[in-house]
Coordinates of all heavy atoms in Angstrom, one line a residue:
W167 N 1.6 13.6 -3.3 CA 1.3 14.9 -4.1 C -0.2 15.1 -3.9 O -1.0 14.3 -4.2 CB 1.7 14.9 -5.6 CG 1.3 16.1 -6.3 CD1 2.1 17.3 -6.4 CD2 0.1 16.4 -7.1 NE1 1.4 18.3 -7.0 CE2 0.2 17.8 -7.5 CE3 -1.1 15.7 -7.3 CZ2 -0.8 18.4 -8.2 CZ3 -2.0 16.3 -8.1 CH2 -2.0 17.7 -8.5
E172 N -7.0 25.8 -5.5 CA -6.7 26.8 -6.6 C -6.3 26.1 -7.9 O -6.8 26.4 -8.9 CB -5.8 27.7 -6.1 CG -5.4 28.9 -7.1 CD -4.3 29.7 -6.6 OE1 -3.6 29.4 -5.6 OE2 -4.0 30.8 -7.3
S173 N -5.3 25.2 -7.8 CA -4.8 24.6 -9.0 C -5.8 23.6 -9.7 O -5.9 23.6 -10.9 CB -3.5 23.7 -8.7 OG -3.8 22.6 -7.9
S174 N -6.6 23.0 -8.9 CA -7.7 22.2 -9.4 C -8.7 22.9 -10.2 O -9.0 22.5 -11.3 CB -8.5 21.4 -8.2 OG -7.6 20.5 -7.6
K175 N -9.1 24.1 -9.7 CA -10.1 24.9 -10.4 C -9.6 25.5 -11.7 O -10.4 25.9 -12.6 CB -10.6 25.9 -9.4 CG -11.5 25.4 -8.4 CD -12.1 26.5 -7.5 CE -13.0 25.9 -6.5 NZ -13.6 27.0 -5.5
K176 N -8.3 25.5 -11.9 CA -7.7 26.1 -13.2 C -7.7 25.0 -14.2 O -7.4 25.4 -15.4 CB -6.3 26.6 -12.9 CG -6.4 27.9 -12.1 CD -4.9 28.4 -11.9 CE -4.8 29.7 -11.1 NZ -3.5 30.0 -10.8
T177 N -7.8 23.7 -13.9 CA -7.6 22.7 -14.9 C -8.8 22.6 -15.8 O -10.0 22.9 -15.5 CB -7.5 21.3 -14.3 OG1 -8.7 21.0 -13.5 CG2 -6.3 21.3 -13.3
R178 N -8.6 22.2 -17.1 CA -9.6 22.0 -18.0 C -10.6 20.9 -17.7 O -11.8 21.0 -17.9 CB -9.1 21.7 -19.5 CG -10.0 21.7 -20.6 CD -9.4 21.8 -21.9 NE -10.5 22.0 -22.9 CZ -10.2 22.5 -24.2 NH1 -8.9 22.6 -24.6 NH2 -11.1 22.5 -25.1
M179 N -10.1 19.9 -17.0 CA -10.9 18.8 -16.5 C -12.0 19.3 -15.6 O -13.2 19.1 -15.7 CB -10.1 17.7 -15.9 CG -10.9 16.5 -15.4 SD -11.4 15.5 -16.7 CE -10.0 14.4 -17.0
Y180 N -11.5 20.2 -14.6 CA -12.5 20.8 -13.7 C -13.6 21.6 -14.3 O -14.7 21.5 -14.0 CB -11.7 21.6 -12.6 CG -12.6 22.2 -11.5 CD1 -12.9 21.4 -10.4 CD2 -13.1 23.4 -11.7 CE1 -13.7 22.0 -9.3 CE2 -13.9 24.0 -10.6 CZ -14.2 23.3 -9.6 OH -15.0 23.8 -8.5
R181 N -13.0 22.4 -15.3 CA -14.0 23.4 -15.9 C -15.0 22.6 -16.8 O -16.2 22.9 -16.8 CB -13.3 24.3 -16.8 CG -12.3 25.3 -16.1 CD -11.8 26.4 -16.8 NE -11.3 26.1 -18.2 CZ -10.0 25.9 -18.4 NH1 -9.2 25.9 -17.3 NH2 -9.6 25.6 -19.6
F182 N -14.5 21.5 -17.4 CA -15.4 20.6 -18.2 C -16.4 19.9 -17.2 O -17.7 19.8 -17.6 CB -14.6 19.5 -18.9 CG -15.2 18.7 -19.9 CD1 -16.2 19.1 -20.7 CD2 -14.9 17.2 -19.8 CE1 -16.8 18.3 -21.6 CE2 -15.6 16.4 -20.8 CZ -16.6 16.9 -21.6
D212 N -16.9 20.4 -26.5 CA -16.0 21.3 -25.7 C -14.7 21.6 -26.4 O -14.2 22.7 -26.2 CB -15.8 20.5 -24.4 CG -15.3 21.5 -23.3 OD1 -16.0 22.5 -23.0 OD2 -14.2 21.4 -22.8
A450 N -6.2 11.4 -28.3 CA -4.9 11.9 -28.0 C -5.1 13.3 -27.4 O -4.5 13.7 -26.2 CB -3.9 12.1 -29.2
V451 N -5.9 14.2 -27.9 CA -6.2 15.6 -27.4 C -6.9 15.6 -26.1 O -6.8 16.4 -25.2 CB -6.8 16.5 -28.4 CG1 -8.1 16.3 -28.7 CG2 -6.6 17.9 -28.0
F452 N -7.9 14.6 -26.0 CA -8.6 14.5 -24.7 C -7.6 14.2 -23.6 O -7.6 14.9 -22.5 CB -9.7 13.4 -24.8 CG -10.3 13.3 -23.4 CD1 -11.3 14.2 -23.0 CD2 -10.0 12.2 -22.6 CE1 -11.9 14.0 -21.7 CE2 -10.5 12.2 -21.2 CZ -11.5 13.1 -20.9
D453 N -6.8 13.2 -23.8 CA -5.9 12.8 -22.8 C -4.9 13.9 -22.5 O -4.5 14.1 -21.2 CB -5.1 11.6 -23.2 CG -6.0 10.4 -23.2 OD1 -7.2 10.5 -22.9 OD2 -5.5 9.2 -23.4
A454 N -4.4 14.7 -23.5 CA -3.5 15.8 -23.2 C -4.1 16.9 -22.5 O -3.7 17.5 -21.6 CB -2.7 16.1 -24.6
A455 N -5.2 17.3 -23.1 CA -5.9 18.6 -22.7 C -6.6 18.5 -21.4 O -6.5 19.3 -20.5 CB -6.8 19.1 -23.8
Y456 N -7.3 17.4 -21.2 CA -8.1 17.2 -20.0 C -7.4 16.4 -18.9 O -7.4 16.6 -17.7 CB -9.4 16.5 -20.3 CG -10.3 17.3 -21.2 CD1 -10.1 17.2 -22.6 CD2 -11.3 18.2 -20.8 CE1 -11.0 17.9 -23.4 CE2 -12.1 18.9 -21.6 CZ -11.9 18.8 -23.0 OH -12.7 19.6 -23.8
G457 N -6.7 15.3 -19.4 CA -5.9 14.5 -18.5 C -4.6 15.3 -17.8 O -4.5 15.4 -16.7
M458 N -3.8 15.7 -18.8 CA -2.6 16.4 -18.4 C -2.7 18.0 -18.3 O -1.7 18.6 -18.0 CB -1.4 16.0 -19.3 CG -1.2 14.5 -19.3 SD 0.0 14.0 -20.4 CE -0.4 12.2 -20.6
D459 N -3.8 18.5 -18.7 CA -4.0 19.9 -18.7 C -3.1 20.7 -19.6 O -2.5 21.8 -19.3 CB -3.9 20.4 -17.2 CG -4.6 21.8 -17.1 OD1 -5.7 21.9 -17.6 OD2 -4.1 22.7 -16.4
V460 N -2.9 20.2 -20.8 CA -2.2 20.9 -21.8 C -3.1 21.9 -22.6 O -4.2 21.5 -23.0 CB -1.6 19.9 -22.9 CG1 -0.9 20.6 -24.0 CG2 -0.7 19.0 -22.2
G461 N -2.7 23.1 -22.8 CA -3.5 24.1 -23.5 C -2.7 25.2 -24.1 O -1.4 25.2 -24.0
P462 N -3.3 26.3 -24.6 CA -2.6 27.4 -25.1 C -1.6 28.0 -24.1 O -1.9 28.1 -23.0 CB -3.7 28.4 -25.4 CG -4.9 27.6 -25.7 CD -4.7 26.4 -24.7
G463 N -0.4 28.3 -24.6 CA 0.6 28.8 -23.7 C 1.5 27.7 -23.2 O 2.6 28.0 -22.6
D464 N 1.2 26.4 -23.3 CA 1.9 25.3 -22.7 C 2.8 24.8 -23.8 O 2.6 24.8 -25.0 CB 1.1 24.3 -22.2 CG 0.3 24.6 -21.0 OD1 0.9 25.3 -20.1 OD2 -0.8 24.2 -20.8
I465 N 3.9 24.2 -23.4 CA 4.9 23.6 -24.3 C 5.0 22.1 -23.9 O 5.5 21.8 -22.8 CB 6.2 24.3 -24.3 CG1 6.0 25.7 -24.8 CG2 7.3 23.5 -25.1 CD1 7.3 26.6 -24.8
L466 N 4.7 21.3 -24.8 CA 4.6 19.8 -24.5 C 5.8 19.1 -25.2 O 6.0 19.2 -26.4 CB 3.3 19.1 -25.2 CG 3.2 17.7 -25.1 CD1 3.2 17.1 -23.7 CD2 1.9 17.2 -25.8
W468 N 7.7 15.5 -25.2 CA 7.7 14.1 -24.9 C 9.0 13.5 -25.5 O 9.2 13.6 -26.7 CB 6.5 13.3 -25.4 CG 6.2 12.1 -24.5 CD1 6.8 10.9 -24.4 CD2 5.2 12.2 -23.4 NE1 6.2 10.2 -23.4 CE2 5.2 10.9 -22.8 CE3 4.2 13.1 -23.1 CZ2 4.4 10.6 -21.7 CZ3 3.3 12.8 -22.0 CH2 3.4 11.6 -21.3
W479 N 1.0 10.9 -31.0 CA 0.2 11.4 -29.9 C 0.6 12.9 -29.5 O -0.3 13.7 -29.3 CB 0.4 10.4 -28.7 CG -0.4 10.8 -27.5 CD1 -1.6 10.4 -27.2 CD2 0.0 11.8 -26.5 NE1 -2.0 10.9 -25.9 CE2 -1.2 11.8 -25.5 CE3 1.0 12.6 -26.2 CZ2 -1.2 12.6 -24.3 CZ3 1.0 13.4 -25.1 CH2 -0.1 13.4 -24.2
G483 N -2.0 15.8 -29.7 CA -2.3 16.3 -28.4 C -2.0 17.7 -28.3 O -2.6 18.6 -27.6
A484 N -0.8 18.2 -28.9 CA -0.4 19.6 -28.8 C -1.3 20.5 -29.7 O -1.8 21.5 -29.3 CB 1.1 19.7 -29.1
S487 N -5.1 21.0 -29.1 CA -5.3 21.7 -27.9 C -4.8 23.1 -28.0 O -4.9 23.9 -27.1 CB -4.6 21.0 -26.7 OG -3.3 21.1 -26.8
G488 N -4.2 23.5 -29.2 CA -3.8 24.9 -29.4 C -2.5 25.2 -28.6 O -2.2 26.4 -28.4
S489 N -1.7 24.2 -28.3 CA -0.4 24.5 -27.5 C 0.7 24.3 -28.5 O 0.6 24.3 -29.7 CB -0.4 23.6 -26.3 OG -0.3 22.2 -26.7
T490 N 1.9 24.2 -27.9 CA 3.1 23.9 -28.6 C 3.8 22.6 -28.3 O 3.9 22.2 -27.2 CB 4.1 25.1 -28.2 OG1 3.4 26.4 -28.3 CG2 5.4 25.1 -29.1
T516 N 6.6 23.1 -20.2 CA 5.7 23.0 -19.1 C 5.2 21.5 -18.8 O 5.0 21.1 -17.7 CB 4.3 23.7 -19.4 OG1 3.8 23.3 -20.6 CG2 4.6 25.3 -19.6
H517 N 5.3 20.7 -19.9 CA 4.9 19.2 -19.8 C 6.0 18.4 -20.4 O 6.3 18.5 -21.6 CB 3.5 19.0 -20.4 CG 2.4 19.7 -19.9 ND1 2.1 21.1 -19.9 CD2 1.3 19.2 -19.2 CE1 1.0 21.4 -19.3 NE2 0.5 20.3 -18.8
L518 N 6.6 17.7 -19.5 CA 7.8 16.9 -20.0 C 7.4 15.4 -19.8 O 7.1 14.8 -18.7 CB 8.9 17.1 -19.0 CG 10.2 16.3 -19.2 CD1 10.8 16.5 -20.7 CD2 11.3 16.6 -18.3
S543 N 9.3 26.4 -15.0 CA 8.2 26.3 -16.0 C 7.5 25.0 -15.9 O 6.3 25.0 -16.3 CB 8.9 26.5 -17.3 OG 9.7 25.5 -17.7
L544 N 8.0 24.0 -15.3 CA 7.5 22.6 -15.3 C 6.2 22.7 -14.5 O 6.1 23.0 -13.4 CB 8.4 21.6 -14.8 CG 9.6 21.1 -15.8 CD1 10.5 20.2 -15.1 CD2 8.9 20.3 -17.0
R545 N 5.1 22.1 -15.1 CA 3.8 21.9 -14.4 C 3.5 20.5 -14.2 O 2.9 20.1 -13.2 CB 2.7 22.7 -15.1 CG 2.8 24.2 -15.1 CD 1.4 24.8 -15.3 NE 0.8 24.5 -16.6 CZ -0.3 23.8 -16.9 NH1 -0.9 23.2 -15.8 NH2 -0.7 23.6 -18.0
V546 N 3.8 19.6 -15.2 CA 3.5 18.2 -15.1 C 4.6 17.4 -15.7 O 5.0 17.7 -16.8 CB 2.1 17.9 -15.9 CG1 1.7 16.5 -15.9 CG2 0.9 18.9 -15.3
F547 N 4.9 16.2 -15.1 CA 5.6 15.1 -15.7 C 4.7 14.2 -16.2 O 3.8 13.7 -15.6 CB 6.6 14.6 -14.7 CG 7.7 15.3 -14.2 CD1 7.8 15.7 -12.8 CD2 8.7 15.9 -14.9 CE1 8.8 16.4 -12.3 CE2 9.8 16.6 -14.4 CZ 9.8 16.9 -13.1
G548 N 4.9 13.7 -17.5 CA 4.3 12.6 -18.0 C 5.2 11.4 -18.1 O 6.4 11.6 -18.2
P572 N 3.4 17.2 -10.3 CA 2.8 15.8 -10.2 C 3.5 15.0 -11.4 O 3.7 15.6 -12.4 CB 1.4 16.1 -10.4 CG 1.4 17.4 -11.2 CD 2.4 18.2 -10.7
Y574 N 2.3 12.4 -13.8 CA 1.1 11.8 -14.4 C 1.4 10.5 -15.1 O 2.0 10.5 -16.3 CB 0.6 12.9 -15.5 CG -0.8 12.4 -16.0 CD1 -2.0 13.1 -15.4 CD2 -0.9 11.6 -17.1 CE1 -3.2 12.7 -16.0 CE2 -2.2 11.2 -17.5 CZ -3.3 11.8 -16.9 OH -4.5 11.5 -17.5
Y576 N 0.8 7.2 -17.0 CA 0.0 7.1 -18.2 C 0.3 5.8 -18.9 O 1.4 5.5 -19.3 CB 0.3 8.3 -19.1 CG -0.6 8.6 -20.3 CD1 -2.0 8.7 -20.2 CD2 0.0 8.6 -21.6 CE1 -2.8 9.0 -21.3 CE2 -0.8 8.8 -22.7 CZ -2.1 9.0 -22.6 OH -2.9 9.3 -23.7
G589 N -2.9 9.4 -14.5 CA -3.0 10.1 -13.2 C -4.3 10.9 -13.2 O -5.3 10.8 -14.0
N590 N -4.4 11.8 -12.2 CA -5.5 12.6 -12.0 C -5.1 13.9 -11.3 O -4.6 13.9 -10.2 CB -6.6 12.0 -11.3 CG -8.0 12.7 -11.3 OD1 -8.0 14.0 -11.5 ND2 -9.0 12.0 -11.2
L591 N -5.1 15.1 -12.0 CA -4.6 16.3 -11.4 C -5.6 16.9 -10.4 O -5.3 17.9 -9.8 CB -4.2 17.3 -12.5 CG -3.3 16.8 -13.5 CD1 -2.9 17.9 -14.4 CD2 -1.9 16.3 -12.8
L592 N -6.8 16.2 -10.2 CA -7.7 16.7 -9.3 C -7.7 15.9 -8.0 O -8.4 16.1 -7.1 CB -9.2 16.5 -9.9 CG -9.4 17.4 -11.2 CD1 -10.8 17.2 -11.6 CD2 -9.0 18.8 -10.9
L604 N -9.1 6.4 -17.2 CA -9.4 7.7 -17.7 C -10.9 7.8 -18.1 O -11.5 6.8 -18.4 CB -8.6 8.0 -19.0 CG -7.2 8.3 -18.7 CD1 -6.3 7.9 -20.0 CD2 -7.0 9.8 -18.4

Side-chain angles (χ1 to χ4, degrees):
W167 180 84
E172 180 186 9
S173 69
S174 293
K175 288 183 176 179
K176 288 180 180 177
T177 64
R178 186 160 189 171
M179 182 74 85
Y180 181 87
R181 298 196 306 272
F182 186 44
D212 196 61
V451 70
F452 175 79
D453 290 2
Y456 298 86
M458 300 181 202
D459 201 41
V460 175
D464 288 325
I465 296 175
L466 172 63
W468 213 280
W479 180 96
S487 65
S489 64
T490 308
T516 56
H517 294 70
L518 175 63
S543 62
L544 284 171
R545 292 204 294 115
V546 178
F547 292 117
Y574 188 98
Y576 185 57
N590 190 332
L591 303 183
L592 303 180
L604 286 153

